[in-house]
Amino acid sequence: MAPMIYTLYGFAIFFFVFWCAMWLLHLIAIFYGKYRLHKKNPELLLDEPYPGVSILKPLMGVDPHLVSNLETFFTMRYPTYELLFCVEDEKDPAIEVVNSLIEKYPKVQTDVFIGGSTVGVNPKINNMHKAFEASNYDLILISDSGIRMKEDTLQDMVNHMTERTGIVHQMPFTSDRNGFAATLEKIYFGTAQSRMYLSADCVRVNCHTGMSTLMRKHVLEEEGGLKSFGCYLAEDFFISKHFLDKGWKTTISSQPAMQNSGVCDVHSFQARLTRWAKLRMAMLPLVIVFEPLSECMVIGACAGWATSLLFRWEPLVFYLIHILVWFLCDWLLLSIVQGMLEDSGCYIRGIRL
């Protein structure tokens, strides 16, 4: 009987410690997010030497928001940058969208690269390889087609590119869109995803996602260029790992990435989360084992049982208080993440459903 009791107490201690760790992540994310996000950029002085930036935009197909998303890159207030659009299929309708924007904004330095290069198994790397090789500037921004930019987003990212920083990436978030699926995405990226992303960046753990990433070209070229990472499906993780191994720092910018895909439904969102989970399972199998315990209901139930065994607390009361405070903290974190985001010319605070 004694071994059974010791085992139960061992599980109870583990669940209670894990519960405390999750609350520590909550607090780190809230305070770090308040400290890091939505810092006001200084006035852009065009006579100061800002470094040039080559922006790689891999495209495939057209969605209802593609035109407005791409147009935000033509209207940025930044002195020197080039837009390099990458399209694999010469019949892709995205080419027509890009050409129409080039005609509308002829002063923006732009080029279109049609037809990819087979340098690995990663289709995104294959699509961008030619543009990377032809880029003119040492700072490379890789930006997915569904990303929107504010006028000062590029300036904000460059401002965070200090002397020893090799990568500046945007924390994933979303633009305001209508519908249940859009609200579900916003809550996920503003709470569960932001909690882990901000905490990881605070303690300098590799949390890089490649949807909007500014990096130093010469560091990639030391490894053989972008094509060297074409053998990985999760190229963003291994690119960041390469920079960290070389002694460079990575950091998030103060403006979260505004994802604005024109295709927004629950099935697509679930498929995306499933794809990310499979990649984490392949790269970090031990982490994926503990992921279910990071969910509010699961860890609350486990901690409720643990505290009833260890401290003789009422488990139901503990569980209900846990859920209430967890939701309040999630609301606060979401408010911090999106609180100063500017969308459609207005500032928004809190949750807009």
Side-chain angles (χ1 to χ4, degrees):
M1 188 60 109
M4 176 68 72
I5 294 176
Y6 290 147
T7 301
L8 289 176
Y9 272 94
F11 275 111
I13 293 171
F14 169 78
F15 287 138
F16 181 73
V17 171
F18 198 95
W19 178 80
C20 292
M22 290 306 304
W23 279 108
L24 179 62
L25 291 182
H26 259 294
L27 296 176
I28 291 175
I30 289 171
F31 286 103
Y32 187 67
K34 185 65 176 177
Y35 167 70
R36 284 301 305 272
L37 298 180
H38 305 298
K39 298 296 183 182
K40 185 176 181 180
N41 282 318
E43 190 67 27
L44 180 61
L45 301 176
L46 298 182
D47 56 344
E48 289 190 1
Y50 272 80
V53 180
S54 297
I55 303 176
L56 276 57
K57 293 289 295 183
L59 304 178
M60 180 179 291
V62 174
D63 66 50
H65 296 165
L66 183 64
V67 175
S68 62
N69 289 339
L70 296 186
E71 190 167 14
T72 62
F73 286 82
F74 285 87
T75 58
M76 292 187 298
R77 289 189 291 105
Y78 192 83
T80 308
Y81 68 94
E82 61 178 354
L83 289 172
L84 307 178
F85 293 97
C86 316
V87 186
E88 282 200 89
D89 188 353
E90 62 181 8
K91 297 181 180 179
D92 196 312
I95 298 175
E96 186 177 339
V97 171
V98 171
N99 288 335
S100 65
L101 289 171
I102 292 175
E103 292 179 5
K104 186 176 181 180
Y105 301 96
K107 294 183 179 180
V108 179
Q109 185 180 354
T110 313
D111 206 348
V112 182
F113 295 85
I114 301 175
S117 304
T118 305
V119 295
V121 298
N122 188 306
K124 184 177 179 180
I125 298 292
N126 291 340
N127 194 11
M128 295 188 298
H129 176 253
K130 289 183 178 180
F132 176 84
E133 294 293 318
S135 58
N136 293 311
Y137 303 115
D138 184 56
L139 291 183
I140 300 289
L141 173 63
I142 297 178
S143 178
D144 289 354
S145 61
I147 298 295
R148 290 183 65 85
M149 300 286 268
K150 294 168 62 177
E151 289 184 342
D152 62 344
T153 300
L154 185 55
Q155 179 195 357
D156 177 71
M157 298 183 77
V158 172
N159 286 342
H160 285 81
M161 187 64 76
T162 60
E163 184 177 343
R164 289 307 304 163
T165 301
I167 290 180
V168 177
H169 50 110
Q170 289 188 281
M171 185 183 73
F173 192 50
T174 63
S175 297
D176 281 323
R177 292 168 293 176
N178 296 323
F180 173 77
T183 302
L184 183 64
E185 280 194 16
K186 171 157 286 189
I187 292 174
Y188 170 76
F189 282 106
T191 57
Q193 177 76 3
S194 295
R195 183 165 58 249
M196 303 308 297
Y197 212 93
L198 288 168
S199 300
D201 188 72
C202 180
V203 298
R204 297 295 182 262
V205 172
N206 185 0
C207 61
H208 173 231
T209 59
M211 64 181 62
S212 183
T213 303
L214 184 70
M215 63 186 76
R216 298 185 185 273
K217 181 180 180 181
H218 75 270
V219 181
L220 291 175
E221 289 178 330
E222 292 173 359
E223 187 70 10
L226 196 61
K227 64 181 179 182
S228 300
F229 301 92
C231 58
Y232 304 112
L233 291 178
E235 82 290 341
D236 45 7
F237 175 87
F238 290 99
I239 287 175
S240 181
K241 183 177 184 299
H242 167 69
F243 275 80
L244 292 171
D245 290 344
K246 292 292 185 179
W248 292 91
K249 297 179 181 179
T250 67
T251 187
I252 60 171
S253 65
S254 70
Q255 295 184 16
M258 295 193 292
Q259 301 176 85
N260 189 44
S261 173
V263 178
C264 186
D265 57 68
V266 175
H267 176 74
S268 299
F269 176 62
Q270 289 179 329
R272 187 182 187 187
L273 295 186
T274 301
R275 184 172 68 252
W276 286 358
K278 289 179 179 178
L279 289 173
R280 291 196 301 274
M281 189 177 298
M283 297 184 299
L284 303 167
L286 291 179
V287 174
I288 200 71
V289 172
F290 297 104
E291 274 199 15
L293 288 178
S294 66
E295 299 298 329
C296 171
M297 305 294 183
V298 177
I299 189 59
C302 293
W305 168 79
T307 54
S308 69
L309 181 63
L310 296 173
F311 310 118
R312 299 295 186 264
W313 293 353
E314 176 58 44
L316 180 59
V317 174
F318 178 93
Y319 183 65
L320 293 177
I321 294 175
H322 160 84
I323 292 176
L324 175 62
V325 180
W326 187 291
F327 282 7
L328 289 174
C329 288
D330 273 352
W331 173 83
L332 180 59
L333 180 59
L334 179 54
S335 298
I336 291 171
V337 172
Q338 93 154 16
M340 295 298 292
L341 282 180
E342 186 179 7
D343 228 9
S344 303
C346 62
Y347 285 89
I348 48 181
R349 290 185 177 273
I351 308 172
R352 191 173 83 181
L353 302 180

